[in-house]
Amino acid sequence: MESSYYTKFFASKVFFDWYIKLVIQFKDGKFKLSYYDDGNVYQSPEKYTMPLSARSKHFIDHFKEKDGATLAAKQNRDGMIALYESILNTTTSAKTLLEKKAQKKDDF
């Protein structure tokens, strides 16, 4: 679950928890990291928000096609960048850890 995504609502940031699946595949001494958008976490009703069922929204819902380019809505851009940076940090950490494990050899 990822908590770095937010949207701007008036002058404040509203954070949303999001399910993001990380799949690690191993083959021939190599590995591949893949991320998948699994939708939002259940959001209970609050002062300024309606309840939102789990996995009812996905990131693609926040993008619009304009002049041949796909852009995030203005209120979501900074939150998307924060999420991207969080995923990039997770990827770097996982890659470093997996490379260290691959260098270690078990002596039986």
Side-chain angles (χ1 to χ4, degrees), residues 1-106:
M1 187 166 53
E2 179 60 48
S3 298
S4 61
Y5 172 70
Y6 64 89
T7 186
K8 291 182 180 175
F9 186 72
F10 291 112
S12 64
K13 296 178 184 177
V14 179
F15 286 85
F16 294 95
D17 291 335
W18 218 265
Y19 293 118
I20 297 178
K21 288 184 180 181
L22 168 61
V23 176
I24 304 174
Q25 297 171 312
F26 296 93
K27 182 178 179 182
D28 300 329
K30 297 179 183 178
F31 60 89
K32 177 182 175 184
L33 302 170
S34 302
Y35 290 88
Y36 298 94
D37 176 10
D38 201 22
N40 61 292
V41 174
Y42 169 76
Q43 179 181 326
S44 59
E46 294 182 12
K47 188 174 182 179
Y48 297 109
T49 60
M50 300 283 290
L52 191 59
S53 299
R55 295 178 169 91
S56 62
K57 295 283 184 187
H58 292 85
F59 286 120
I60 195 70
D61 299 333
H62 298 286
F63 288 87
K64 299 201 182 331
E65 186 84 24
K66 183 177 180 180
D67 299 328
T70 304
L71 303 171
K74 186 176 181 181
Q75 69 270 21
N76 297 326
R77 285 185 196 144
D78 292 341
M80 291 287 182
I81 291 168
L83 174 67
Y84 172 78
E85 290 171 350
S86 175
I87 289 172
L88 192 59
N89 288 337
T90 301
T91 301
T92 303
S93 298
K95 183 178 176 185
T96 302
L97 180 64
L98 291 170
E99 286 173 347
K100 283 182 184 178
K101 294 271 186 186
Q103 291 174 357
K104 288 184 178 179
K105 298 204 179 202
D106 292 330

